[in-house]
């Protein structure tokens, strides 16, 4: 498989399908640990992304960065709430790193893009690991990508990033929020996974498959992307 624009186009479309399939669950989580609008904001941005991809001129999405940039632009320009712009910044950093890599994604490009997104989100949001935000999923995903060699397989690296992100998501349920809307809820948000972190899990998992339900990811060990070994639930 060549990890070019065809791959990233499919990735963004699967991300949209995953958000749509799990919107009700995302909304339920955010009603317990946020403003209740995360599911709607995420699906709104991704539905608009798919429309942008569908309307792109023939051949314009050939390079890996173009579908990522289309998603970034949509989130930055059209999605409200707190998480929308943050996802836009992450996608923009992924697009920039992909552009630097050439027409196809590489593991170093993914690591650079995810790391750049992490840095800018932390700078703007002033959040750190342990604050019960999307950082708690993105930081371990970055670590997983950085642990792979320069010539590592992109599919395997994304599987590792997805698994690490879901581990981070589950950890957020045990944290007391120190940033964002959930920080005002105190103990009421304890035991609930952070919705933004779940969105990061969906992003990386959707690189290889459409997520149709959140429950398996919130209660079991991470599943693998197609073509890699799947770990059974405990």
């Amino acid at each position: 498989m060549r990890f070019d624009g065809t791959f990233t186009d499919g990735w963004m479309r699967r991300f949209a399908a995953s958000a749509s399939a799990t919107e009700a669950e995302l909304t339920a989580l955010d009603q317990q640990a946020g403003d209740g609008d995360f599911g709607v904001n995420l699906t709104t941005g991704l539905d608009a992304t798919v429309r942008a991809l569908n309307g792109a001129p023939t051949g314009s999405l050939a390079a890996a960065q173009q579908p990522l940039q289309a998603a970034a632009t949509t989130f930055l320009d059209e999605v409200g709430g707190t998480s929308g712009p943050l996802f836009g910044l992450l996608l923009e950093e992924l697009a920039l790193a992909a552009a630097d890599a050439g027409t196809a994604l590489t593991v170093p490009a993914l690591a650079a893009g995810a790391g750049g997104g992490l840095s800018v989100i932390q700078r703007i949001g002033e959040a750190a690991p342990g604050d019960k935000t999307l950082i708690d999923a993105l930081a371990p995903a970055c670590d997983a990508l950085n642990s792979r060699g320069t010539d590592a397989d992109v599919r395997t690296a994304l599987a590792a990033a997805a698994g690490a992100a879901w581990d981070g998501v589950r950890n957020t349920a045990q944290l007391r929020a120190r940033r964002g809307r959930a920080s005002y809820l105190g103990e009421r948000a304890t035991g609930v996974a952070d919705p933004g972190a779940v969105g990061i899990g969906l992003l990386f998992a959707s690189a290889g498959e459409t997520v149709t339900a959140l429950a398996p990811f919130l209660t079991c060990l991470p599943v693998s992307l197609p073509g890699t070994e799947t770990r059974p639930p405990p």
Side-chain angles (χ1 to χ4, degrees), residues 11 14 18 158 161-162 166 200-211 217 223 225-226:
W11 182 2
R14 286 188 295 274
S18 295
L158 284 167
W166 287 122
I200 296 296
L202 288 177
L203 169 64
F204 284 104
S206 297
E209 63 183 350
T210 298
V211 177
F217 295 91
V223 301
L225 296 178

Side-chain angles (χ1 to χ4, degrees), residues 150-176:
T150 301
D151 297 324
D153 177 66
V154 170
R155 183 189 296 274
T156 303
L158 284 167
W166 287 122
D167 282 342
V169 168
R170 287 186 290 275
N171 288 338
T172 64
Q174 308 308 316
L175 298 174
R176 183 184 176 92

Side-chain angles (χ1 to χ4, degrees), residues 9-231:
D9 180 274
W11 182 2
M12 293 300 98
R13 292 177 188 274
R14 286 188 295 274
F15 188 20
S18 295
S20 178
T22 61
E23 181 181 351
E25 292 173 278
L26 288 168
T27 296
L29 281 175
D30 203 34
Q31 287 171 339
Q32 298 175 75
D35 294 328
D37 61 355
F38 179 71
V40 171
N41 287 340
L42 188 63
T43 55
T44 296
L46 288 166
D47 287 347
T49 295
V50 170
R51 289 194 296 272
L53 295 176
N54 289 341
T58 301
S60 66
L61 301 176
Q65 79 269 17
Q66 295 301 336
L68 295 171
Q69 186 58 58
T73 300
T74 298
F75 272 89
L76 290 171
D77 291 350
E78 300 184 28
V79 181
T82 302
S83 296
L86 298 183
F87 273 83
L89 291 169
L90 171 59
L91 290 162
E92 187 167 61
E93 291 294 326
L94 285 168
L96 289 170
D100 289 341
T103 59
L105 280 178
T106 62
V107 173
L110 285 167
L118 176 64
S119 295
V120 71
I121 290 170
Q122 286 188 291
R123 184 170 68 251
I124 291 173
E126 300 182 341
D131 284 346
K132 191 167 183 165
T133 70
L134 61 82
I135 295 296
D136 290 297
L138 181 55
C142 289
D143 290 342
L145 291 171
N146 282 315
S147 71
R148 301 284 158 166
T150 301
D151 297 324
D153 177 66
V154 170
R155 183 189 296 274
T156 303
L158 284 167
W166 287 122
D167 282 342
V169 168
R170 287 186 290 275
N171 288 338
T172 64
Q174 308 308 316
L175 298 174
R176 183 184 176 92
R178 294 195 291 262
R179 292 286 176 182
R181 177 72 176 91
S183 65
Y184 298 103
L185 302 177
E187 296 297 334
R188 285 181 292 168
T190 302
V192 181
D194 179 73
V198 173
I200 296 296
L202 288 177
L203 169 64
F204 284 104
S206 297
E209 63 183 350
T210 298
V211 177
T212 58
L214 294 181
F217 295 91
L218 299 183
T219 58
C220 301
L221 290 172
V223 301
S224 301
L225 296 178
T228 61
E229 183 178 351
T230 301
R231 291 184 286 170

